[in-house]
Amino acid sequence: MLYALPRLSQCLGLCKNIISNNTYSYKIVNSANYSLVSSSNAEHVVKGAPLPEIKVPIIWILGGPGCGKGTQCDKIVAKYGFTHLSSGDLLRNEVQSGSSRGKELTAIMERGELVPLDVVLDLIKEAILKSLPNSKGFLIDGYPREKEQGVLFEQYIAPANLVLFFDASDDVLMERLLGRAKTSGRVDDNEETIKKRLNTFHTHNDQIVAAYAAKLKQINAVRSPDEIFTEVVSYIDAIMK
Ligand SMILES: Nc1ncnc2c1ncn2[C@@H]1O[C@H](COP(=O)(O)OP(=O)(O)O)[C@@H](O)[C@H]1O
């Protein structure tokens, strides 16, 4: 089944090669269109050429919905001046833009499912490209959400220096999200969608934790934000040396 994604306004550079690892093969091509081919052959097309070399730290921020990723990112930005890129916020901005792609995304997000890899990767890549000249480092919040997202990011953008996984039980996450739902106005902050988001998270997260164990720190997120942040600082300071 082919999903024809919208025409690209322009592509960056031209390179066509097949990148394969033990489970997926990827094609980076230059084309006026790109398409996400069926997952049976697990082939993804990612537009344009890779970014220029990134010399500042890249930190992936992982965790279930409501684990406090955003709270910790705000603290990290205040202390280190890093650029905070939230995949969820980038997607909601795309939805707000009223684009046809945005309408498709809303339906997927309301179902608590993952949006197509190529869409979220391109949004992050564009955001990194925009901030790169003045950035002290990147917090990639809410990405990767499945292993192949990590593979493509590292292949196509840059290796992550550190992965922070904020861990909390589903009961805690559900309680926090239902509390947030009273004021967030988010289409996905309702009990039914929260259950689906938690299921989506559990379906994929273990694979990511295993794949990046060497640079991943699992942090107990059922504490005060300040206690959590003290531990976060110890990990970030260690990679900044
Ligand atoms: N990396 C991603 N890959 C695919 N879909 C994503 C990704 N990040 C966010 N989304 C979509 O956006 C929704 C909201 O994400 P986010 O704002 O990070 O909330 P939460 O972390 O609480 O799930 C997700 O439920 C999913 O539908």
Side-chain angles (χ1 to χ4, degrees):
M1 174 170 62
L2 274 179
Y3 307 91
L5 293 171
R7 282 187 74 82
L8 303 180
S9 53
Q10 61 178 14
C11 291
L12 301 170
L14 171 62
C15 60
K16 183 179 175 106
N17 55 49
I18 298 290
I19 301 156
S20 60
N21 62 17
N22 55 356
T23 45
Y24 299 97
S25 65
Y26 303 94
K27 229 176 356 191
I28 295 182
V29 296
N30 178 15
S31 77
N33 284 303
Y34 59 78
S35 57
L36 178 66
V37 294
S38 68
S39 55
S40 54
N41 52 15
E43 198 172 64
H44 289 271
V45 172
V46 184
K47 71 176 176 181
L51 296 177
E53 192 191 352
I54 297 179
K55 297 189 173 72
V56 294
I58 294 178
I59 302 174
W60 290 343
I61 307 291
L62 310 182
C67 70
K69 299 191 293 292
T71 303
Q72 291 303 314
C73 284
D74 291 346
K75 288 176 169 294
I76 296 168
V77 168
K79 179 174 174 64
Y80 296 94
F82 290 166
T83 306
H84 176 207
L85 300 177
S86 155
S87 52
D89 290 345
L90 291 169
L91 290 163
R92 279 184 286 276
N93 293 343
E94 180 68 19
V95 169
Q96 289 300 322
S97 72
S99 66
S100 58
R101 182 167 73 174
K103 290 185 179 64
E104 289 168 39
L105 295 176
T106 301
I108 296 170
M109 293 164 78
E110 281 180 354
R111 296 196 300 269
E113 296 166 1
L114 298 184
V115 308
L117 177 155
D118 310 69
V119 172
V120 66
L121 181 61
D122 279 331
L123 287 172
I124 288 178
K125 173 180 166 286
E126 287 162 16
I128 288 175
L129 201 57
K130 223 180 274 176
S131 319
L132 195 50
N134 310 307
S135 180
K136 294 177 182 170
F138 290 99
L139 295 179
I140 309 299
D141 173 3
Y143 185 106
R145 295 210 182 191
E146 54 189 340
K147 182 181 171 186
E148 58 187 313
Q149 289 189 0
V151 171
L152 262 189
F153 184 103
E154 295 211 310
Q155 178 66 38
Y156 189 54
I157 296 180
N161 302 91
L162 178 64
V163 185
L164 299 180
F165 165 33
F166 295 102
D167 189 21
S169 70
D170 283 9
D171 290 346
V172 168
L173 297 177
M174 177 63 82
E175 185 189 341
R176 287 181 183 174
L177 289 168
L178 289 176
R180 185 174 79 182
K182 295 185 182 107
T183 53
S184 73
R186 280 180 40 167
V187 293
D188 58 354
D189 271 353
N190 62 75
E191 188 157 2
E192 186 193 348
T193 307
I194 291 168
K195 284 181 182 157
K196 291 176 184 170
R197 284 157 62 193
L198 287 169
N199 183 53
T200 301
F201 168 71
H202 288 301
T203 301
H204 298 287
N205 196 63
D206 289 351
Q207 257 202 348
I208 300 170
V209 171
Y212 298 100
K215 50 190 172 185
L216 182 137
K217 303 297 181 188
Q218 184 161 339
I219 299 170
N220 170 11
V222 188
R223 289 180 290 171
S224 75
D226 287 344
E227 281 175 299
I228 295 167
F229 187 60
T230 302
E231 187 176 345
V232 166
V233 166
S234 69
Y235 299 139
I236 295 178
D237 284 352
I239 66 161
M240 299 292 281
K241 281 190 180 113

